[in-house]
Amino acid sequence: MAPVTSNTGPRHFLDLDQLGQETLRGIIDHAKAMKAGRMGLPKGGLDSDAPLSGEVLLMIFQKSSTRTRISFEVAMRQLGGGASDLDGSRLQLGRGESIADTARVLSAYGDAILLRTDHHANLLDMASYATIPVINALTDQSHPCQIMADILTIEEELGPISERRVVWLGDGNNVATSWIHAAQRLGFSLRLACPVGHEPDSNALEKARSEGADVMATYDVAEAISGADVIYTDTWSSMGQEREPDELAPFAPYQVTTEIMNACAPGAIFLHCLPAHRGEEVTADVMDGPRSRVWQQAENRLHAQKAILAWCLGTNAVSDGDE
Ligand code: CP
Ligand code: NVA
């Protein structure tokens, strides 16, 4: 397989642990600036500099999506370009055309590729053969775009994330792995409490710890939530890994309840990448309560994606000194 990244190749956005701290910091700060810079404009209105004028994002979703798909589409529009939703089920990819050949062809039509797929290996394959940037829109292993919007939200609410503790409760899934990658790069404190058999990715944990990250995994909710600034959860049944109701029983102690939120500092907030399942991973009173910032978080997907696109396509001022 050809190398996924190189100093001269396209700027892929595949996983947070593959990017430097300075790059991630630059993307988040650029997202903040772009959000502030278009206050008062209609949602479909162009950013004043329209930095991606004439550019096209080709989007392949092999799994459902509301936020990622629509926020990337609107992001391209605001940046002055366009997005094409290729509907994974109607591509020849679904009839056996290889990812390599698809990557080569799409590289001739578009300026960047967005891929949501089951197998992380598909994403790496696409990145290996594409001559344009490839962006991870979620795989079975990770969901890096989500975490960029989450950090933007946390910093809007609580200031620099480097001074905060994020606590993950529930399934040790793809979103949890991207949180571990983020802690490895951005120097905040991360605690994860997950049931036996559903622990977070051990390789990601080991790598993060070996680089000095303040990351701890436990089975104990009370231990995890001590000092929490952010309580975060996600579905107990990820796409492609659906679980029967009786398989959800071990997750019950990890449900985010008002009791858990009340055990945190008064300023602690609740986040969820969505879609949410009230009565499973979170109670309705937390999801819709005063500490929840989930709608702001969902809106921030748009602003974060814009900064990711600008970085991938080389139009922003992010320093690449750490790449
Ligand atoms: N959070 C998130 O990625 O949502 P979608 O699955 O709707 O894109
Ligand atoms: N863990 C969830 C995230 C959805 C945005 C899933 O993979 O289905």
Side-chain angles (χ1 to χ4, degrees):
M1 192 181 282
V4 171
T5 54
S6 75
N7 289 336
T8 53
R11 283 179 170 180
H12 301 306
F13 190 86
L14 302 179
D15 266 320
L16 302 182
D17 65 334
Q18 292 178 24
L19 299 169
Q21 179 181 27
E22 204 177 323
T23 295
L24 295 176
R25 186 72 258 162
I27 293 172
I28 295 162
D29 290 345
H30 191 213
K32 281 181 199 168
M34 283 198 289
K35 181 176 180 180
R38 60 171 292 114
M39 284 287 184
L41 283 178
K43 294 185 179 71
L46 291 187
D47 285 4
S48 55
D49 54 349
L52 298 192
S53 178
E55 307 222 32
V56 176
L57 175 68
L58 301 175
M59 309 194 298
I60 305 173
F61 284 86
Q62 297 180 316
K63 306 201 224 194
S64 303
S65 172
T66 297
R67 281 144 288 269
T68 310
R69 186 162 54 85
I70 299 166
S71 59
F72 264 104
E73 191 169 332
V74 175
M76 282 305 291
R77 183 179 174 134
Q78 292 186 357
L79 292 168
S84 186
D85 186 350
L86 303 183
D87 182 358
S89 64
R90 291 171 60 210
L91 291 174
Q92 296 287 9
L93 197 53
R95 294 181 58 249
E97 185 167 19
S98 71
I99 291 177
D101 287 355
T102 304
R104 292 177 177 118
V105 171
L106 296 186
S107 296
Y109 298 148
D111 298 288
I113 297 169
L114 180 69
L115 178 62
R116 172 169 287 196
T117 183
D118 261 326
H119 304 292
H120 198 75
N122 293 343
L123 178 81
L124 299 183
D125 230 12
M126 186 70 87
S128 292
Y129 291 97
T131 57
I132 58 177
V134 173
I135 301 172
N136 179 356
L138 181 146
T139 70
D140 55 344
Q141 277 183 37
S142 57
H143 194 8
C145 294
Q146 176 68 52
I147 275 58
M148 299 300 276
D150 300 342
I151 293 172
L152 173 57
T153 309
I154 291 167
E155 297 203 332
E156 285 176 341
E157 289 293 310
L158 303 173
I161 192 159
S162 54
E163 294 163 21
R164 297 294 171 186
R165 172 166 293 175
V166 176
V167 176
W168 175 276
L169 299 181
D171 192 14
N173 65 13
N174 46 2
V175 181
T177 300
S178 285
W179 268 113
I180 297 168
H181 291 161
Q184 184 181 331
R185 284 287 173 264
L186 294 172
F188 58 91
S189 171
L190 178 66
R191 302 284 178 264
L192 305 102
C194 309
V196 174
H198 306 285
E199 295 87 352
D201 185 294
S202 56
N203 292 330
L205 281 173
E206 199 178 315
K207 187 155 180 269
R209 287 201 198 106
S210 73
E211 293 193 15
D214 178 9
V215 178
M216 188 269 282
T218 174
Y219 297 112
D220 188 84
V221 172
E223 183 187 15
I225 66 173
S226 170
D229 296 300
V230 178
I231 299 287
Y232 197 115
T233 192
D234 182 19
T235 180
W236 293 340
S237 236
S238 283
M239 290 180 280
Q241 303 165 352
E242 283 75 11
R243 296 186 168 119
E244 297 300 323
D246 61 312
E247 295 177 288
L248 299 183
F251 292 95
Y254 301 85
Q255 183 187 58
V256 181
T257 60
T258 297
E259 200 181 14
I260 285 178
M261 294 308 300
N262 287 345
C264 301
I269 59 171
F270 170 72
L271 297 180
H272 190 312
C273 57
L274 307 179
H277 307 79
R278 292 171 176 79
E280 292 188 13
E281 71 272 8
V282 60
T283 58
D285 53 346
V286 171
M287 177 73 191
D288 303 312
R291 293 186 188 230
S292 174
R293 297 292 182 275
V294 299
W295 310 123
Q296 178 181 344
Q297 181 187 7
E299 180 195 325
N300 279 337
R301 293 296 305 277
L302 169 62
H303 307 294
Q305 329 293 29
K306 288 171 67 178
I308 292 167
L309 285 162
W311 177 77
C312 286
L313 291 162
T315 62
N316 66 343
V318 172
S319 164
D320 297 324
D322 60 4
E323 283 184 81

